Amino acid sequence: MTKILIVGGVAGGASAAARARRLSEEAEIIMFERGPFVSFANCGLPYHIGGEIQDRDKLLLQTPESFLARFNVDVRVMHEVIAINRHAKTITVKNLLDGSEYDEGYDFLLLSPGASPIVPPIAGIDNPLTHSLRNIPDMDRILNTLKTKQVAHATVVGGGFIGLEMMEAFHALGINTSLIEMADQVMTPVDREMAGFVHAEIKHKGIDLQLGVALESVEYQSTNEQENLLLTLNNGQQLETDILIMAIGVRPEIQLAQQAGLQIGELGGIYTTPSMQTSDPSIYAVGDAVEEQDFVTGNRTLVPLAGPANRQGRMAADNMLGRDETYQGTQGTAICKVFDLAVASTGKNEKQLKRDGVIYEKVYVHTASHASYYPGAEIVSFKMLFDPKSGKILGAQAVGKDGIDKRIDVMAVAQRAGMTVEQLQHLELTYAPPYGSAKDVINQAAFVANNLIKGDATAIHYDEITNLTDDQILLDVRNPGELKNVGFIAGAINIPVDQLRQRMDELPKDKEIVIYCQVGLRGNVAYRQLVNNGYKAKNLIGGYRTYLFAQA
């Protein structure tokens, strides 16, 4: 009989336990969780705080009793594994309720300890009004502060998933909120110009968004009537706030693995093979604590997401029970709700490709989520990164109010299937006016990408517009009313695209014409007219919309 011990529940550990039982009725399976809850929806915690998920019990996916009844798994909550004795193949467990300790033997051990919030060594950070959010007890502490204190203002430090979701939760509760982010953007899985759409939405909702700003110190102030915090920021500003959420990221929980002498990777996560084995063949590790293979580059990476953790837990259980499954890499496919917007990505972003020295090209399209003449159509702003020679898909990002998950899910599948941008042109996606368009956003992006690859278009990008030379002329091909209502780039000549054939002789042939329109579509029409008439030209990919929101 195989004996499997699992350290940590939630995504990876709970998935492994359930899968192991489905494969074997004989295996003895014991799961240890140092907290009071074994399987909970940690991604749902901010939504309970904000009131969207009203029933707290909905967050509890499984209890020790339900795990025992359905899967015959012995779940021991409030039991912390404090040591792994590899040579004896035992672990030492501490019962946190009575302080007693005991050893438990194993044939296979699975580590699923997750990741812990990073709390930097900032003066005064340890106070009763400062919280992080990782689990249900953390959530309960935040709710208790909101219930028992006078909270008129909240501050969130960190513009990642948790930070953005907590910002929205406070806003939903009618609490004035500041969001402090040290980088020049929120939501770092997408690039700066795509995050600009999110910045605009955050500011539109009345949030005090401070980018490129760090928290330097915290002073806890308490009087008979009120408690609050005085925050000092590195821009010299001071901010009074009633609750502070630290959400600047997480780091893998590796102490147990380190003490056991298991190999730790260069990025600080537990080293694992594609079969999810650690450097000890009897010990597996999954989830936020492990380094995994990046699907695009093949390099080691840390991606703390629930989807990969669930799949890894399942595969580890397979392999502990004699199967031969390998994890096929992580794309980092993710999405976040920010008020009325969704922002999503898959694969690599431009920052990462630059850092790794990968040659790439990029395209932007801004087009309707479904047929524009059918009510409710919203703009999907879409960015695709690809290899300009092979057409390999390197990454995709999208922002908008409708249809964002659909487009990034399609791109994640296409990337995993090894499709090229040439093949993306031929995707046959559902079309009816309420749901899509005859040429989907993804088809459109593929058409633009293939125009670049084949030489049918020559690109210039938003970040090159401010560095034009004396040998270049900027041409705005929108209608005059658009310039007045939407804005324009200073110094551009305006000739609407429908007048271009008649007025082409107003443009010099000895200079390069840099064309832009609102989203790039009319710019491409103008580009083809000009080059077919012997002009040198480039088209601003993504048009004025990309240029404008890159500044937001």
Side-chain angles (χ1 to χ4, degrees), residues 311-390:
R311 298 196 306 279
Q312 291 163 6
R314 176 188 175 92
M315 289 170 187
D318 280 353
N319 294 334
M320 286 187 285
L321 290 166
R323 298 196 175 187
D324 184 18
E325 297 287 339
T326 56
Y327 185 67
Q328 303 294 313
T330 297
Q331 294 164 273
T333 309
I335 190 166
C336 187
K337 177 184 179 296
V338 185
F339 297 114
D340 297 329
L341 286 185
V343 51
S345 63
T346 192
K348 309 308 288 179
N349 60 39
E350 194 172 346
K351 299 184 292 284
Q352 294 165 332
L353 294 174
K354 281 181 178 173
R355 180 197 67 201
D356 296 342
V358 177
I359 295 170
Y360 67 92
E361 181 55 276
K362 59 186 176 182
V363 296
Y364 303 89
V365 292
H366 307 279
T367 190
S369 56
H370 60 248
S372 55
Y373 55 80
Y374 187 88
E378 300 285 355
I379 295 175
V380 174
S381 293
F382 185 85
K383 176 179 183 178
M384 182 169 68
L385 297 148
F386 59 96
D387 184 310
K389 287 198 170 71
S390 68

Side-chain angles (χ1 to χ4, degrees), residues 155-159 163 178-181 213 215 231 244-249:
T155 301
V156 178
V157 177
S178 294
L179 179 65
I180 312 295
E181 169 54 60
V213 175
L215 176 63
L231 310 180
L244 173 62
I245 305 295
M246 296 300 296
I248 63 172

